Amino acid sequence: MSVSPSATPSVSSGAAPTQADLYDFVRRTAADAELIDSLPLDPEGRTWVRLDGPGGSEAWLIGWPPGTGTGWHDHADSLGAFLTASGELKENSLAARLPTDGWKTLELTEDVDRERRLRAGQGRSFGRHHVHEVFNESSDRPAISVHAYYPPLPQIRRYSRSGPILRLEQVERPEDWQ
């Protein structure tokens, strides 16, 4: 199901959306209470609805039951933004630019970990190859968030992490999640 949010940002015709455009879109969309309330929530697993993002971007409305998360991943060559519309999400990220190809295992330095708590109305944008994990730590409250990526996701690389060791585990393509 694809939904057109009522509040879309202005992106110049033909211009690729910037991180700021994507963030503006997720902020405005998260403020659309009718849209947020329309997302069916599942108590066991994440739910999502595809949205029409600005300037040809890919956008999603995602429901997070208590205790669910993404695991470590990146969005390859896409810029992105996300914002918590209800509840609270936690993002762990790496403040380091990783090589994009040709590796399976990396040892991270001690100073690369970042943590953010994003309550309703809070979000962030990020650049290409941003490695992070997002999850709902609540034991009893779901969360809902809005996400946008440009260009539309060419792939998602999934990682496992044990202490400082990051391992590339899987590469997903759009046909795997759409």
Side-chain angles (χ1 to χ4, degrees):
M1 174 163 128
S2 182
V3 177
S4 294
S6 59
T8 57
S10 59
V11 175
S12 301
S13 176
T18 64
Q19 283 179 239
D21 294 327
L22 296 175
Y23 187 79
D24 186 51
F25 171 82
V26 299
R27 183 185 53 77
R28 291 174 185 241
T29 303
D32 183 339
E34 185 178 336
L35 177 65
I36 300 308
D37 292 343
S38 74
L39 181 67
L41 296 175
D42 181 326
E44 301 297 319
R46 288 188 302 150
T47 54
W48 54 87
V49 173
R50 184 147 188 186
L51 305 172
D52 294 326
S57 64
E58 181 171 345
W60 299 89
L61 180 62
I62 301 176
W64 305 76
T68 59
T70 62
W72 287 97
H73 67 284
D74 73 17
H75 303 282
D77 291 321
S78 296
L79 304 173
F82 71 100
L83 189 132
T84 304
S86 70
E88 179 177 305
L89 294 172
K90 179 180 176 186
E91 179 198 34
N92 292 326
S93 63
L94 300 179
R97 185 152 176 99
L98 303 180
T100 56
D101 293 308
W103 65 276
K104 291 283 188 187
T105 304
L106 288 176
E107 184 171 356
L108 304 170
T109 61
E110 291 181 23
D111 61 346
V112 299
D113 288 302
R114 300 293 182 268
E115 177 182 306
R116 286 183 175 84
R117 294 198 178 278
L118 302 167
R119 293 176 182 83
Q122 296 179 320
R124 65 162 312 188
S125 64
F126 52 86
R128 292 169 170 80
H129 309 291
H130 175 70
V131 177
H132 67 165
E133 64 177 348
V134 179
F135 49 100
N136 178 1
E137 287 187 310
S138 174
S139 61
D140 61 353
R141 187 169 178 213
I144 297 175
S145 58
V146 181
H147 303 247
Y149 309 99
Y150 187 84
L153 297 172
Q155 64 184 10
I156 293 177
R157 289 182 288 245
R158 298 218 175 260
Y159 305 97
S160 63
R161 182 158 180 201
S162 178
I165 305 299
L166 187 71
R167 286 186 178 80
L168 176 63
E169 297 291 344
Q170 179 181 8
V171 177
E172 295 177 2
R173 309 243 181 260
E175 56 272 14
D176 297 327
W177 66 80
Q178 292 185 8

